[in-house]
Amino acid sequence: QEGMPQTLSSTSMFTPCGFNPHLHTSKEDEQGGLIFQDGNLTSASLDALIQHLIPTTDYYPEKAYIFAVLLSSRLFIEPHELLSRVCHKCIEQQRLDDPVLDKARVRKFGPKILQLLTEWTETFPYDFQEERMIGHLKDMIHRIAPCDEAYWKKMNQLLQTLNQKLATLSHGQEGIVKISPAVSDKLVAFKSKPPSIQREILSVCSDPYTLAQQLTHVELERLSHIGPEEFVQAFVHKDPLDGTKTCFSEQKKTSNLEAYVKWFNRLCYLVATEICMPAKKKQRAQVIEFFIDVARECFNIGNFNSLMAIISGMNMSPVSRLKKTWSKVKTAKFFILEHQMDPTGNFYNYRTALRGAAHRSLTAHSNREKIVIPFFSLLIKDIYFLNEGCANRLPNGHVNFEKFLELAKQVGEFITWKQVECPFEQDPNIIHYLHTAPIFTEDGLYLASYESESPENQTEKDRWKSLRSTILGKT
């Protein structure tokens, strides 16, 4: 077992603090095709980056480096191609094709290549849904196994853990309650709700703390399925150096990321539907105040995604136009929350709150204090702009490694957050309601809103009239 590289805790793995292979240079310096600036790797040819990923008998790459390369290299090369090249280079360098293997040498190298393969399967399990990936992995281990019985055991362990992880992930995806699409807007019909169809949120859960905790459950459950590579795969373009093929966009695996965005949209519409549905102004005001309390509790928990969805739902025009309803609401609390999520200054207030939650998470004593659920579409937008704003390649054809590191930093932080275990007890009844309660389309919301508080001007009157005829078949 000696000679096994130490596994760092997950946090240190994903936060590269200027990856530095101990170079005492102040200016630019080249070493084996890698360009360093002040001791930090800034650019390299793809070949050099791959070479630097490969362990030898006396070298093992830094964890932050491994993560950055495995994450971002897919902008240039498919994972199975990368693994194939890594394996070929190992076979060459360690002379694993020789009829008689140098056992002593292979025993020094073996634990390191096993460690690299283990890190890859643990961090990017979805890569190994591909047969070719498993093929390369097995081939590599079969070559070194004759030198040490323990390597077989290690391989079986690795494959078993990987299969369990993939099974859990796909089983979890099936287990997630499917989001119901928008319901027939005919339900609006003068607030005559068939009781069998529309229960309202307050009859399912009247305690804002409980609802905020159940929302956090849904968020963490959905986050747990998003692979780090989905952030990069969402932006894979043609590589300018290879005009013929798009970089494996035909198999863009971003379904978990897309499902999560759908959930956010559903929550916005659910909040708006719940507010517009009640026939009486007093009840509508009560629902608004309830959601304000839920949102505030989401903020305290560190669940910024649900918080933003609730605020967005309340800010939809069909809801915000209900002046008489809002006049009955104590709005001070709502304005505080809105201020937190104010988009000015590139969401300055939210980013400050997020940093606070991230800091709390690092020093946390309980899972409850560890929760950080970022406002997801902003996270995607940040990563998108980072990707668009920096070239993948420099004019000399080198890979822009500074960009790799920055991507790794942003995605890595997210991975740390999505690994938090939810500390709250699950209430299947509430969770089912959140996913399946009927919601209206935008038209349905407008109609319900006009039925609640009559149109104020000609534009609204015309819209009301046309909605009544299209949705209710009334003139």
Side-chain angles (χ1 to χ4, degrees), residues 350-376:
Y350 157 69
R351 291 180 191 278
T352 309
L354 180 72
R355 275 200 302 276
H359 183 72
R360 171 180 76 179
S361 179
L362 287 174
T363 56
H365 298 298
S366 67
N367 268 351
R368 181 163 185 155
E369 295 173 324
K370 279 192 190 140
I371 299 173
V372 185
I373 300 169
F375 168 31
F376 195 64

Side-chain angles (χ1 to χ4, degrees), residues 176-197:
I176 286 186
V177 190
K178 289 285 174 280
I179 287 183
S180 306
V183 68
S184 153
D185 292 324
K186 284 201 175 37
L187 275 183
V188 174
F190 306 106
K191 309 288 182 177
S192 58
K193 307 180 275 184
S196 60
I197 301 187

Side-chain angles (χ1 to χ4, degrees), residues 184-232:
S184 153
D185 292 324
K186 284 201 175 37
L187 275 183
V188 174
F190 306 106
K191 309 288 182 177
S192 58
K193 307 180 275 184
S196 60
I197 301 187
Q198 179 80 17
R199 290 189 299 169
E200 64 279 296
I201 187 78
L202 287 168
S203 69
V204 181
C205 174
S206 57
D207 174 40
Y209 289 92
T210 308
L211 188 62
Q213 294 180 354
Q214 296 309 305
L215 285 168
T216 304
H217 240 294
V218 174
E219 298 279 352
L220 285 170
E221 165 69 24
R222 289 184 166 271
L223 279 183
S224 69
H225 293 101
I226 299 174
E229 70 285 351
E230 294 192 43
F231 289 101
V232 174

Side-chain angles (χ1 to χ4, degrees), residues 139-169:
D139 174 62
M140 191 67 234
I141 296 172
H142 280 189
R143 287 171 184 276
I144 60 174
C147 297
D148 193 330
E149 277 298 296
Y151 295 162
W152 291 113
K153 210 166 121 189
K154 189 81 184 142
M155 173 172 81
N156 287 328
Q157 248 175 333
L158 193 152
L159 290 173
Q160 216 178 338
T161 312
L162 176 65
N163 286 332
Q164 276 168 341
K165 194 157 188 176
L166 286 172
T168 312
L169 287 168

Side-chain angles (χ1 to χ4, degrees), residues 117-129:
L117 295 171
T118 305
E119 281 185 42
W120 196 331
T121 56
E122 281 174 358
T123 319
F124 298 94
Y126 289 123
D127 284 353
F128 291 85
Q129 282 172 318

